[in-house]
Amino acid sequence: MRVKILLISSIFVMLFTVSNVSLAEQLNHKGNKLESVIVEVNGEPKEIQAFLKSHYPSIEIVAVYTTLFNGLALKGDREQLRRMESLDFVKNIHTVQQYETTNMERSKWEQKHRKAVFPFELNNTTYTGKGVKVGVIDTGMDYNHPDLRTNYRSGYDVVDLDDDPMETKPEEGIPTLHGSHVAGIIAANGKLKGVAPDAELYAYRALGPGGSGTSIQVIAAMEQAIKDDVDIINLSLGNQVNGPDYPTSLAVNKAAELGVAVVIANGNAGPDGWTVGAPATANQALSVGAASHEQQLPYLYARWDDKKIAITEMTGSPPWQLDTFYPIAFAKQTKDLKGKIALYQRDDIPFMEKVQQAQASGAKAVVIANNQDQPLQGDVSGGKSLKIPVASISQKDGEWLRKKLNKEQLNLETKYESKAPSIANFSSRGPVTVNWHIKPDVVAPGTQIVSTVPGGYRALQGTSMAAPHVSGVVALIKEARPMWTNQQIFGAIKTTALRMDADQEPLSPTIQGMGLIRPKEAIETKTIIDDPQLTFGQVHSYSETKTEQIVIENTTDEPQTYYFDNPYKQPGISWNLPPSITVAPHKKQKLSLEIKITSPQIEEGVHQGWITMRQKDTAYHMPYLFVNQAADNPKTMGFEFVLQPLSTDAFNYRFYMTEPAEKVEVDLYHPDTLLFDRQLLELKDVKAGVNEGEMDRGTVGKSGYYYAVISVTLKTGDLASYEAMIYVPPQGVNGN
C-alpha cells in the first residue's frame, strides 16, 4: 500500500477577494427558479445570438459580450441550458459561487475603537470628484443606504442578469456587504463622507451570495461598466495567480486601452513575496497595497510563563477589549466555555461555526490556531449577532497552548503594544512572475476603515479598503485636471507618493511600490514621471547591460532642471545615468537609465533598490528591480478543481505555470490524517501560462474534502510543489 505523510506548508488565504465555498453550500440557496449563466463561445457572439433565438427560443438572451471577451449571458431552465453543452461553439459555461458579510452601527464602533480611520480624512484638497463616474465591481451595493443613495446612478447584476445590483440579502442566500463598504470609501455622501463625496457611483454585482464569482463574471461586469462609459473601475477582488497573462489581467489591460482608469486591490496574502494575484498583476492597472495607521495592537500574555502570544483580529469581529485575566480552554476537550477564552484548531469546519458554538456556550472570546506556518487573516463578517471578539494565533503558539492546557489551567490577560504607521502585514507583496514587474504601484490606508454597509456602518481592513481610497483620489484628480490622461493621472499619483521608511531605511519596492498616496501633491505636482518603476528583467549571462526609459513631464510655466544622485556603489552593479537636463514648460523629455550587471559578483535572486532624481529641493525616488539568473518565485499556482456547471459527472481543472514543466502531478491527501489517498492527475510536457482540462467522475474517484499537493518537475530538472484544498461532491450533485 502506498503511504505518504504530508507536511502542510501553505494554503492561500486572501481577505476580501474572491473565495470559494463548497458546491453543497451553493446548492442550499438554489431553488427551482430559472438559472443565470454566462456562456463563453468560440466565434462571433452576435451570430450565435441569432442562432440561439432561432433554435432555442425559450432561452432568454440577456446580454452579448464582445469587448473584453466573447460570450452571452443567458437565462433558462436548468435542463434547457444543460442541452447547450454539446453545441460546438460553446467553450465554457460559467455559473455563480459565494462570499460572506455583516453590519455594525457606526456609533457602536466609535464607542469601542478610538483608532478608526475615516475615508474623508485622506482628502486634503478642495475637490470632491464632482461629475466623475466610478464603477464598483463587487458584491453589489446597498443603494438605499442614506449615505449612498444620493450618488448612486445605476448598475447591473451579472449574477442574476438583471439591472438590480443590490447586495445579497439574507433571504437570498449568504448576505454580503463588501461592495457597499468599498462604494462608501469612494463616494459616501451623508453622515459619512467618502474620499470623493460628489463622484457618481455605478454598481456591478459580479460576486454573488457569500461573495465570490468566476473570472468571466468579473470580466462581464467590466464590459458592462465600459458600455456605461464609466471613468474609473474599482476592483477590490482577485485570486492567487501571480502572473501577468491571467484572463482577468488581460481584460484589465484592454479596459485601460479603451480609456478607463482601473484600480485594483493588491491582495491580502502578505507578508511573503510573490503573493500579489491577478488582476492586480496587470501591467496597466494601478495596483494598491494597504498601509497601516498608528495602532494599539492587543496581544495575550501568560504572566507566570512570561509568554507573549500575538493575535490577529479577524475581519468582522468586535474589537478585542478583554479587561482582565480570563482562563483559556481548548474547546475540543471541554464544553464548559462560560467566562473563558475558547481555543480552536483551524480545520475544515468554518470559523463562524466555531464562533457561534463558543458564543452560545458563554465564551468571552475565541482564538483559532492556524494549522500551518504562516499568518492567518480570517474573516467572520458573515455572522449574525456576533458579540464576542475573534482572533487567530500562529501554529507555534497554538501548539504551546495545547501542551500547556494538557498539564494545567492557564489564565491569560490582554496587553497592548504600539505600532507605528507602516505597511499592513497582510498586504500582498510583489514582484510579478514572468515579467518581474514591481507591484504594488502605491499604497493607501487599509486598516480599520469605517464605511457604509447595509443597515449602518462598519470598520473593515484589507487591500480591498485601500484600493477605493485610490479610486477616490483618481476621481479628485479627474475633476481638478480634466485634460489629463489616465496615464498622466497614474504618473502623478506615483511620482508624488511618499516613500515609506522603517528604522530610517526605505521599505523595499515590492512591499510599498512608490509609497503612500498624497492627493494634494498629485494634483499640484510640478513634475510627472511616466512609469517610474524600473524593471530591468532577468540576467542570464556573465555580464549584461540593461536599459529602461522614463518620460519626464514639466507641468509648470517655467523651465525645470533635473539631475540624478550617484547610486551607492555595489560590486557587480554599475549605473550610467543621464547628466543634468532641463525640460521646457509643459514639455516632456525621454531619458534612458542604464545598468550593467556582472552576474558572478552578486547573489542569485531578486535585487531591488532606489534611484533618486532631484529638482531643486524635491527628491523623486524611483524603485528598480532585476533578477540575477533565477528567483525563488512560485512555479505553479492557482489550482482549481470544480464540477462543471449543469453537470453531475464532468469536472474542470485549471492551474497556472510560470514556466514550462516536464511533469505535473496532483496527489490527494486526507485533510485530517494527512495520509496519501490517491493520485488525481498526471500531465507531461506542460506549457507556461494557464493549463486546463476535463475529467470524468470515474477517473476522479470518491467524494470528500482533500488536500491536493501539486508537484512539478521543471524542464531544468528542479522540483517545486504547493498545496490547495479541493472538494469532490458526491454522485448526483449538480454543478450549479
Side-chain angles (χ1 to χ4, degrees), residues 649 651 695-702 731:
D649 299 313
F651 294 81
M695 300 180 69
D696 60 43
R697 185 173 289 278
T699 305
V700 169
K702 61 182 181 292
Q731 181 77 36

Side-chain angles (χ1 to χ4, degrees), residues 136 138-142 148 167 176-184 452:
V136 180
D138 214 289
T139 62
M141 184 190 302
D142 179 10
L148 297 176
E167 296 267 17
T176 56
L177 60 72
H178 189 259
S180 298
H181 198 274
V182 167
T452 48

Side-chain angles (χ1 to χ4, degrees), residues 314-373:
M314 290 198 175
T315 297
S317 165
W320 188 286
Q321 293 185 323
L322 303 190
D323 54 1
T324 184
F325 287 90
Y326 289 98
I328 185 167
F330 190 29
K332 194 173 183 179
Q333 297 175 352
T334 178
K335 293 186 178 180
D336 179 19
L337 298 176
K338 188 173 182 180
K340 299 177 181 179
I341 300 171
L343 170 65
Y344 288 89
Q345 174 66 46
R346 183 185 182 189
D347 50 30
D348 57 354
I349 298 174
F351 296 149
M352 270 311 307
E353 189 173 327
K354 300 177 191 290
V355 176
Q356 288 168 345
Q357 177 194 66
Q359 183 168 288
S361 301
K364 295 292 293 185
V366 171
V367 292
I368 298 175
N370 203 0
N371 57 2
Q372 51 195 286
D373 185 21

Side-chain angles (χ1 to χ4, degrees), residues 286-314:
L286 194 60
S287 304
V288 186
S292 61
H293 62 297
E294 183 180 357
Q295 301 176 80
Q296 292 289 320
L297 298 180
Y299 66 91
L300 294 173
Y301 183 65
R303 180 177 294 274
W304 309 118
D305 297 275
D306 192 25
K307 169 71 173 177
K308 173 184 174 181
I309 301 170
I311 64 174
T312 301
E313 295 178 84
M314 290 198 175

Side-chain angles (χ1 to χ4, degrees), residues 126-143:
T126 60
Y127 299 99
T128 60
K130 189 173 181 61
V132 180
K133 299 166 67 173
V134 185
V136 180
I137 296 177
D138 214 289
T139 62
M141 184 190 302
D142 179 10
Y143 46 74

Side-chain angles (χ1 to χ4, degrees), residues 650-695:
F651 294 81
N652 290 333
Y653 67 83
R654 175 190 282 189
F655 61 93
Y656 183 86
M657 293 292 302
T658 59
E659 56 186 87
E662 292 283 356
K663 183 170 61 175
V664 173
E665 298 172 282
V666 180
D667 293 329
L668 301 185
Y669 293 78
H670 190 279
D672 294 324
T673 65
L674 305 185
L675 290 174
F676 175 78
D677 189 273
R678 64 187 182 274
Q679 185 172 81
L680 177 69
L681 184 66
E682 180 179 355
L683 300 172
K684 295 184 178 179
D685 294 324
V686 181
K687 65 181 178 66
V690 176
N691 291 266
E692 52 192 348
E694 298 181 7
M695 300 180 69

